[in-house]
């Protein structure tokens, strides 16, 4: 993607760049952080880049330090709270005073040239309070079959549930999105992210932003490549946290979950029912059979579409996503985490 500016704004590219601060939270991201920062910083010497590290012990800090030695507009900071919410809040406080546009980026992503400038421009053009973008799932070059299958299936309706910000192709005003650009003063005024939340801090913030009259624009023309999780364990942890975060969000704001958000919960409850009544009625096997056939079919589809046997790992990816999210949600509803 190339940055496209109106003719009367071309001369003001540098001025726009000087208004932008890009915040990247990290915690053990050595495999992707160099590519992430390199893609973000290309041609953006007038922006400020802040890496907020939660105590990485895999070499992430050393990689960032080496890059910071070459780029005066990049700096590394310690995030004592470790989580992403605290990192973005910290960035909103320590950024240069004249930086009024705050952009949150992810160490698991690769960004197209002109990405941050495009977001800043769109924030101004649309009169929005936040601009978000779709993510397109990708895998690393040395990926194993599990990671490749994850990238194949996560953006499908069976994987992400059809979220507009996961592979979506339509622009418009939305309730929520990822990788946002904010007006820094508005973000700070609303209290930033809720640092007590395990996950879903961005969705929770969007709820407060909309309640305050804010508008969120999703621009399908500005996209990024997002590296999926590499292992079953890391994927399970990710979706377990997602489920818990969504439950915490719902409980905090008393909002009604969408149908697609309830499907993983109903999935887990159906499996529990099947297990409890397996020896009592033949109907107890109905859901596991239908579900098993569905995810196996998805694996065959992924393998044929992508012409690789790795697609046959997609059923495992889906089972982990659905069950991890559903169990995380139920766990949080029954035993809420202690708010700090």
């Amino acid at each position: 993607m190339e940055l496209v500016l109106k003719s009367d704004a071309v001369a003001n590219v540098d001025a726009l760049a000087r208004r932008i601060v890009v915040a990247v939270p990290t915690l053990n991201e050595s495999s992707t952080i160099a590519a992430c920062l390199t893609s973000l910083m290309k041609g953006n010497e007038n922006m400020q880049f802040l890496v907020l590290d939660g105590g990485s012990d895999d070499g992430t800090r050393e990689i960032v330090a080496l890059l910071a030695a070459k780029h005066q507009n990049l700096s590394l900071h310690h995030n004592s709270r470790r989580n992403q919410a605290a990192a973005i809040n910290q960035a909103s406080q320590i950024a240069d005073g004249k930086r009024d546009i705050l952009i949150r980026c992810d160490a698991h992503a690769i960004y197209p040239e002109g990405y941050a400038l495009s977001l800043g421009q769109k924030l101004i053009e649309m009169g929005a309070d936040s601009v978000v973008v779709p993510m397109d799932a990708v895998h690393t070059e040395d990926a194993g079959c599990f990671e490749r299958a994850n990238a194949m299936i996560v953006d499908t309706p069976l994987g992400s549930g059809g979220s507009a910000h996961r592979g979506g192709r339509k622009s418009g005003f939305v309730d929520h999105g990822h990788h946002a650009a904010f007006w820094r003063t508005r973000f700070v005024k609303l209290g930033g992210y809720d640092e007590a939340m395990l996950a879903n801090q961005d969705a929770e913030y969007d709820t407060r932003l909309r309640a305050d009259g804010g508008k969120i624009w999703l621009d399908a023309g500005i996209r990024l490549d997002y590296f999926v999780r590499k292992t079953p364990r890391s994927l399970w942890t990710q979706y377990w946290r997602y489920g818990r975060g969504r439950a915490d969000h719902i409980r905090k704001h008393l909002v009604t979950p969408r149908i697609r958000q309830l499907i993983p919960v109903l999935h887990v409850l159906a499996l529990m029912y099947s297990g409890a009544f397996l020896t009592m009625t033949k109907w107890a096997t109905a859901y596991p059979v239908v579900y098993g056939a569905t995810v196996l079919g998805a694996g065959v589809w992924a393998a044929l579409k992508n012409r690789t046997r790795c697609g046959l790992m997609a059923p495992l990816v889906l089972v982990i996503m659905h069950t991890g999210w559903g169990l995380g949600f139920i766990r949080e509803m029954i035993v809420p985490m202690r708010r700090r």
Side-chain angles (χ1 to χ4, degrees):
M1 180 197 72
E2 295 182 355
L3 174 66
V4 179
L5 289 172
K6 292 181 178 180
S7 58
D8 60 348
V10 173
N12 296 320
V13 170
D14 286 348
L16 176 59
R18 294 179 191 280
R19 299 175 63 179
I20 295 173
V21 55
V22 178
V24 183
T26 56
L27 182 61
N28 294 330
E29 311 288 358
S30 61
S31 64
T32 58
I33 187 60
C36 168
L37 291 176
T38 300
S39 67
L40 279 170
M41 297 179 68
K42 185 177 180 180
N44 292 326
E45 294 81 6
N46 292 319
M47 288 184 195
Q48 183 181 22
F49 294 89
L50 304 176
V51 174
L52 301 307
D53 187 80
S56 297
D57 58 9
D58 69 338
T60 298
R61 294 176 61 86
E62 291 75 10
I63 294 171
V64 176
L66 287 173
L67 287 171
K70 300 177 182 178
H71 302 277
Q72 293 184 350
N73 58 335
L74 170 66
S75 58
L76 173 65
H77 304 267
H78 178 59
N79 168 22
S80 60
R81 294 293 298 275
R82 295 175 65 87
N83 64 50
Q84 291 187 356
I88 304 304
N89 289 347
Q90 182 179 350
S92 72
Q93 298 294 332
I94 67 175
D96 292 347
K98 294 182 180 180
R99 307 277 176 175
D100 62 340
I101 297 175
L102 171 63
I103 298 179
R104 171 189 174 172
C105 291
D106 196 303
H108 281 270
I110 293 291
Y111 297 86
E113 185 173 352
Y115 174 82
L117 282 170
S118 294
L119 278 184
Q121 178 196 355
K122 192 60 64 172
L123 191 65
I124 296 169
E125 283 184 357
M126 299 306 301
D129 299 277
S130 176
V131 174
V132 296
V133 302
M135 302 183 292
D136 298 317
V138 297
H139 58 76
T140 55
E141 292 184 5
D142 60 348
C145 269
F146 181 86
E147 183 184 351
R148 291 176 184 273
N150 191 356
M152 293 174 200
I153 206 71
V154 67
D155 285 342
T156 67
L158 271 180
S160 66
S163 302
H165 55 264
R166 296 304 299 258
R169 297 288 172 181
K170 185 178 180 181
S171 298
F173 286 102
V174 295
D175 292 339
H176 167 57
H178 284 288
H179 293 74
F182 314 100
W183 289 113
R184 180 180 169 191
T185 53
R186 186 74 179 274
F187 181 78
V188 172
K189 182 180 178 181
L190 288 176
Y193 284 149
D194 182 349
E195 297 180 18
M197 294 190 68
L198 188 68
N200 256 63
Q201 304 95 338
D202 47 2
E204 191 277 333
Y205 171 79
D206 286 346
T207 297
R208 284 185 280 124
L209 178 62
R210 295 196 322 275
D212 195 53
K215 297 183 296 182
I216 304 167
W217 175 259
L218 184 145
D219 199 295
I222 308 173
R223 314 182 68 83
L224 60 93
D225 290 336
Y226 182 82
F227 290 118
V228 297
R229 295 302 191 267
K230 296 174 177 289
T231 65
R233 181 176 180 178
S234 61
L235 183 65
W236 175 273
T237 300
Q238 180 185 23
Y239 277 82
W240 166 266
R241 289 168 61 90
Y242 282 173
R244 290 189 64 186
R246 178 57 63 178
D248 190 26
H249 176 204
I250 288 171
R251 188 174 54 251
K252 178 178 178 180
H253 292 283
L254 301 179
V255 296
T256 302
R258 297 180 177 180
I259 295 298
R260 65 178 177 80
Q261 294 168 348
L262 288 176
I263 290 176
V265 180
L266 296 175
H267 159 71
V268 170
L269 294 177
L271 289 180
M272 290 179 176
Y273 169 86
S274 299
F277 294 96
L278 191 61
T279 61
M280 301 175 61
T281 171
K282 63 181 180 180
W283 293 108
T285 62
Y287 178 74
V289 169
V290 172
Y291 178 75
T294 301
V295 296
L296 287 173
V300 173
W301 169 84
L304 293 175
K305 180 182 179 183
N306 296 279
R307 299 182 180 181
T308 172
R309 294 179 182 178
C310 288
L312 297 177
M313 292 288 286
L316 176 59
V317 173
L318 291 171
V319 169
I320 291 173
M321 291 171 58
H322 299 160
T323 309
W325 201 103
L327 283 175
F329 184 97
I330 293 170
R331 191 271 189 196
E332 188 65 27
M333 280 298 189
I334 296 175
V335 185
M337 64 179 174
R338 182 179 301 174
R339 287 192 156 272
R340 298 182 296 277

